[in-house]
Amino acid sequence: MNNYTIKDIARIAGVGVTTVSRVLNNGYGVSKETRAKVMEVIEKCNYIPNSNAKHLKQVTSQIVCIIVKGTYNPFFHDMVVELQKCVEAEGYIPLVSYIDEDENEIRCANQLIKEKKAQGIIFLGGSAVDKEEELHKLNSPCVYATSSASDCNVSGVSSVSIDDCLEARRAVTYLLDSGHKNILVVGGAIYQKDLMYNRYQGVLEAFEERGMHFDKKNMYIESKFSYAAAYESMSSFLKLNKPITAVFAMSDVMAIGIAKCVIDHGLKVPEDISIIGFDGIEQAWFYNPTITTIKQPSVEIAKKSVALLIKTIRDKAFSQHLTVSGKLLKGNSVKVMS
Amino acid sequence: MNNYTIKDIARIAGVGVTTVSRVLNNGYGVSKETRAKVMEVIEKCNYIPNSNAKHLKQVTSQIVCIIVKGTYNPFFHDMVVELQKCVEAEGYIPLVSYIDEDENEIRCANQLIKEKKAQGIIFLGGSAVDKEEELHKLNSPCVYATSSASDCNVSGVSSVSIDDCLEARRAVTYLLDSGHKNILVVGGAIYQKDLMYNRYQGVLEAFEERGMHFDKKNMYIESKFSYAAAYESMSSFLKLNKPITAVFAMSDVMAIGIAKCVIDHGLKVPEDISIIGFDGIEQAWFYNPTITTIKQPSVEIAKKSVALLIKTIRDKAFSQHLTVSGKLLKGNSVKVMS
DNA sequence: TTGTATGCGTTATCAA
DNA sequence: TTGATAACGCATACAA
């Protein structure tokens, strides 16, 4: 394919390289005729500017990066779609980067800021816990979407999230209200101050509120966030023959894996075992039965995240932590006992 | 955060920039002591090379790009995971690029080859039909994974795919063998020589083989590839009250949307309406009931695609088009009548 | 084994 | 409104 450079275009169009650059970047100060002439050559040659050179030299851009941690999370997919829309609506260019679970998102952000001259970062997945120093060094506008950074007191760093503790409590309370007492909880590994930790606290609170005790040893199982892992965890649990009537899964993906496992064991959802999930992804809605879940308001989180980021881009010292409300989405996976 | 350049590192370590460059690129010709000293400074400064500058200057790389067309396709997700593994196993660095449905993948490939000095491209989604000229101009090793490019006679361009016609025929034949006669087919828009076109041909063949006629006008409905779109299409169809006992959906995502729709209408899968899907994604396997489907051998396709690409990188004129076999994965969504 | 100098393709500065 | 030229940070040819 062609390998035209800006110099070639300039030569062919009979103008200077600066003029071509101006045309490309919608810069002003180019006459209509010159612009038309240059555009024609660009089209004809099918010229594509080299973004390496562009970003190497460029000192600013209109780029906002969305860094997604965890290669496959259906909930994040919904979020990415919404975030892109919002970023574009603000006149910025969204740049989505998917990184592995074990990569350092702040390091990645730093690189994108230096190399692409990104004006701000939105983190999806990943946590601001114990990262004050790194974030301080980053010294750039960033927003944690769907996870709270309120404990992280760094200027320029904001967050928009649900109250994980409250929402998990909402889920478990709904099960308790529906007459369930033997409730299994399936979640991820619990680290201090972690998102999973908060959801777990919500479980405890829901029980305590009723003067009941949650038996973590027997009724909490840890699983990875995949259909297959949740299926396996549930399968092992069922072999123990412990009497349960309901499961709270800390993600919808887990909820679906668990539902399938229950069904494969000849039990019925929700007649024998009720299931409530978390996140509110499309797959849960289309599952059979529809999975009752706590919906995170993805559109609202996306809108507010971008709004905060824009504010921070304008005022580097800005910082705000918003909590939005989740919603119990009733499906058909929870049996209400009378 | 730091903004060290290679010059800073060289200065601090008391060596020349070339030496630092050598250390960074695992180049030989650096003494152990010098290397250790340089590495220490790099670590201490947390230095990250600027990839713009790197790629701008670099004339070659070990990068293989995977260009994924269509932002959300669970089947492609499985493929990407496998492809990445294979590329890494060959000692190359996989670089995944997600592009929109309406973007030009060859233009994107061209850019990545120029800017990242990518040695080869794997296309996922997108088609080689009527793109001989563009691919010829691209003049680089590329492989179409999951869609055939056998009609596209360009050296350096290979492909690995199933025989869409044959596999669709396999699906419909299975329905016919199971005693179904009134079969609804749900697929995408059909263009000449397209993947959907081939699957549609398979449908026709399956019917013809039995001396039957497929009534496209009444029994083919077009839908987008999403749960919601398939649900809606099916919902409209059900209102017509046409007698059907089975549905062949040209993707698993569609199959799930259709299944949910059927269930929501108070009908049972497979007792009232049987459903067979296509692709073999995890979600179909975990659905209730498990969706019977035609599984594309993603691991095999990934392995062979990468193998072909490596061959082409070594011999630019190489070109081969492989057809792999799909497999009927029996779930519980098809009723077998006796 | 090591260092110096050049240029990759672009944007930014400055002068015309 | 235009163009010549100097960076941007790095890899590479070549010299030492």
Side-chain angles (χ1 to χ4, degrees):
Chain A
M1 217 130 166
N2 63 72
N3 256 318
Y4 293 104
T5 72
I6 199 170
K7 278 185 190 167
D8 298 322
I9 303 300
R11 187 173 33 76
I12 296 169
V15 299
V17 287
T18 313
T19 304
V20 179
S21 180
R22 284 197 182 102
V23 170
L24 284 168
N25 297 288
N26 290 311
Y28 303 99
V30 183
S31 72
K32 259 202 175 120
E33 304 82 49
T34 311
R35 171 180 296 269
K37 190 172 57 183
V38 172
M39 281 304 286
E40 194 191 319
V41 177
I42 288 174
E43 302 269 323
K44 203 186 68 196
C45 297
N46 202 14
Y47 163 70
I48 304 173
N50 183 310
S51 73
N52 288 316
K54 181 183 171 83
H55 289 127
L56 180 57
K57 183 61 191 163
Q58 204 170 238
V59 293
T60 183
S61 82
Q62 285 299 99
I63 290 176
V64 163
C65 290
I66 302 167
I67 298 179
V68 187
K69 204 166 176 177
T71 15
Y72 188 57
N73 183 331
F75 172 59
F76 285 167
H77 175 259
D78 295 354
M79 284 296 310
V80 168
V81 171
E82 293 303 328
L83 284 168
Q84 279 183 303
K85 275 190 218 163
C86 297
V87 168
E88 277 169 6
E90 290 288 343
Y92 285 83
I93 301 158
L95 183 67
V96 185
S97 254
Y98 295 88
I99 64 172
D100 272 345
E101 202 64 66
D102 51 356
E103 281 184 73
N104 182 329
E105 70 268 21
I106 298 176
R107 194 184 168 90
C108 174
N110 184 45
Q111 194 172 348
L112 290 167
I113 287 165
K114 284 208 298 190
E115 292 181 1
K116 307 287 187 212
K117 273 72 183 182
Q119 298 301 291
I121 308 284
I122 294 174
F123 293 111
L124 218 46
S127 134
V129 172
D130 294 335
K131 294 191 178 153
E132 279 89 351
E133 202 187 321
E134 279 184 277
L135 286 166
H136 182 73
K137 276 195 196 159
L138 224 207
N139 190 31
S140 300
C142 38
V143 174
Y144 277 84
T146 76
S147 81
S148 176
S150 59
D151 288 336
C152 162
N153 191 17
V154 177
S155 73
V157 178
S158 298
S159 66
V160 181
S161 66
I162 54 166
D163 180 335
D164 283 289
C165 175
L166 183 75
E167 301 301 340
R169 180 171 160 178
R170 192 198 301 272
V172 176
T173 298
Y174 176 67
L175 291 180
L176 293 167
D177 281 349
S178 302
H180 298 279
K181 278 174 186 142
N182 295 315
I183 301 172
L184 172 71
V185 177
V186 183
I190 296 174
Y191 303 105
Q192 198 69 22
K193 286 189 169 180
D194 181 67
L195 183 139
M196 285 297 131
Y197 175 83
N198 289 329
R199 292 189 191 166
Y200 176 67
Q201 290 307 313
V203 173
L204 296 185
E205 286 183 12
F207 273 82
E208 275 166 17
E209 196 182 25
R210 315 226 156 187
M212 294 168 72
H213 169 71
F214 178 70
D215 176 12
K216 186 184 177 190
K217 198 176 164 214
N218 288 303
M219 300 300 261
Y220 185 85
I221 56 179
E222 211 179 284
S223 161
K224 300 227 172 198
F225 288 80
S226 74
Y227 298 110
Y231 187 103
E232 288 309 321
S233 301
M234 188 64 187
S235 197
S236 306
F237 179 85
L238 287 176
K239 286 195 187 107
L240 304 175
N241 268 316
K242 291 182 187 165
I244 59 163
T245 64
V247 179
F248 166 44
M250 290 193 185
S251 89
D252 284 341
V253 169
M254 285 176 173
I256 289 173
I258 290 163
K260 183 64 173 173
C261 178
V262 167
I263 293 161
D264 281 357
H265 277 73
L267 299 169
K268 289 199 169 178
V269 178
E271 291 79 358
D272 298 314
I273 293 183
S274 293
I275 297 173
I276 186 166
F278 205 102
D279 282 345
I281 61 174
E282 211 182 8
Q283 284 91 333
W285 189 249
F286 280 94
Y287 200 74
N288 172 37
T290 300
I291 305 289
T292 295
T293 188
I294 301 291
K295 176 160 178 61
Q296 300 205 44
S298 43
V299 176
E300 186 184 358
I301 295 176
K303 278 189 185 160
K304 292 191 170 165
S305 297
V306 173
L308 288 189
L309 191 70
I310 302 296
K311 272 192 191 174
T312 316
I313 290 172
R314 302 209 211 293
D315 166 17
K316 302 288 180 194
F318 183 85
S319 172
Q320 193 173 340
H321 300 280
L322 299 179
T323 303
V324 298
S325 185
K327 192 177 163 188
L328 175 68
L329 226 58
K330 290 188 191 173
N332 303 308
S333 66
V334 174
K335 180 180 169 189
V336 180
M337 308 185 198
S338 46
Chain B
M1 218 134 165
N2 64 70
N3 257 319
Y4 292 104
T5 72
I6 199 170
K7 275 186 193 167
D8 299 322
I9 303 300
R11 187 171 36 74
I12 295 168
V15 299
V17 288
T18 315
T19 305
V20 178
S21 180
R22 285 197 182 101
V23 171
L24 284 168
N25 296 288
N26 289 313
Y28 304 99
V30 182
S31 72
K32 259 204 174 118
E33 302 82 52
T34 311
R35 172 182 295 271
K37 192 173 59 185
V38 172
M39 280 306 285
E40 194 192 318
V41 176
I42 288 174
E43 302 270 323
K44 203 186 69 196
C45 297
N46 202 14
Y47 164 70
I48 303 173
N50 184 310
S51 74
N52 288 316
K54 182 184 170 83
H55 288 127
L56 182 57
K57 183 62 189 159
Q58 206 172 234
V59 293
T60 182
S61 82
Q62 286 299 100
I63 290 176
V64 163
C65 291
I66 301 167
I67 298 179
V68 187
K69 204 165 176 178
T71 13
Y72 189 57
N73 183 332
F75 173 59
F76 283 167
H77 174 259
D78 295 354
M79 285 296 311
V80 168
V81 171
E82 294 303 329
L83 284 169
Q84 280 183 302
K85 276 189 216 163
C86 297
V87 167
E88 278 169 5
E90 291 288 344
Y92 284 83
I93 300 158
L95 183 67
V96 185
S97 254
Y98 294 88
I99 66 171
D100 271 345
E101 203 64 65
D102 50 358
E103 281 184 72
N104 181 330
E105 69 268 21
I106 298 176
R107 194 185 168 89
C108 174
N110 184 45
Q111 195 171 346
L112 290 168
I113 288 164
K114 284 208 299 189
E115 293 182 2
K116 307 286 187 212
K117 272 75 185 180
Q119 298 301 290
I121 307 283
I122 294 174
F123 293 112
L124 217 46
S127 133
V129 172
D130 294 335
K131 295 193 177 152
E132 280 88 351
E133 202 186 322
E134 280 184 276
L135 286 167
H136 182 74
K137 276 195 197 159
L138 223 207
N139 189 31
S140 301
C142 39
V143 174
Y144 277 84
T146 76
S147 83
S148 176
S150 60
D151 289 336
C152 161
N153 192 16
V154 177
S155 73
V157 177
S158 299
S159 66
V160 181
S161 67
I162 54 168
D163 180 334
D164 283 289
C165 176
L166 182 75
E167 301 300 341
R169 180 170 159 179
R170 191 197 303 272
V172 175
T173 298
Y174 177 66
L175 291 179
L176 292 168
D177 282 348
S178 301
H180 297 279
K181 280 175 186 141
N182 295 315
I183 300 172
L184 172 70
V185 177
V186 183
I190 296 174
Y191 304 106
Q192 197 71 19
K193 287 190 168 181
D194 183 66
L195 181 139
M196 285 297 130
Y197 175 84
N198 289 330
R199 293 189 189 166
Y200 177 66
Q201 290 307 314
V203 174
L204 296 186
E205 287 183 11
F207 274 83
E208 275 166 19
E209 195 182 23
R210 316 225 157 188
M212 294 168 71
H213 169 71
F214 179 71
D215 175 11
K216 185 183 177 190
K217 197 176 165 215
N218 288 305
M219 298 300 259
Y220 185 87
I221 56 178
E222 210 178 286
S223 162
K224 300 228 171 195
F225 288 81
S226 73
Y227 298 110
Y231 187 102
E232 289 309 321
S233 301
M234 188 63 186
S235 197
S236 306
F237 180 84
L238 286 176
K239 288 198 186 104
L240 304 176
N241 269 317
K242 291 183 187 164
I244 59 163
T245 64
V247 179
F248 166 45
M250 291 194 186
S251 87
D252 284 342
V253 168
M254 285 176 174
I256 290 174
I258 290 163
K260 182 65 173 173
C261 178
V262 167
I263 293 160
D264 280 357
H265 277 73
L267 300 169
K268 288 196 170 180
V269 179
E271 290 80 357
D272 298 314
I273 293 183
S274 292
I275 297 173
I276 187 167
F278 204 102
D279 282 345
I281 61 174
E282 210 183 10
Q283 283 91 333
W285 188 249
F286 280 94
Y287 201 74
N288 173 36
T290 300
I291 305 289
T292 295
T293 188
I294 300 290
K295 177 161 178 61
Q296 301 206 43
S298 42
V299 175
E300 185 185 0
I301 295 177
K303 278 188 185 162
K304 292 191 170 164
S305 297
V306 173
L308 288 188
L309 191 70
I310 302 296
K311 273 193 191 172
T312 316
I313 289 173
R314 303 207 210 294
D315 167 17
K316 303 287 182 195
F318 183 86
S319 172
Q320 192 174 340
H321 300 281
L322 299 179
T323 304
V324 297
S325 183
K327 191 177 162 188
L328 176 67
L329 226 60
K330 289 189 190 172
N332 304 307
S333 67
V334 174
K335 180 180 169 188
V336 179
M337 308 186 198
S338 46

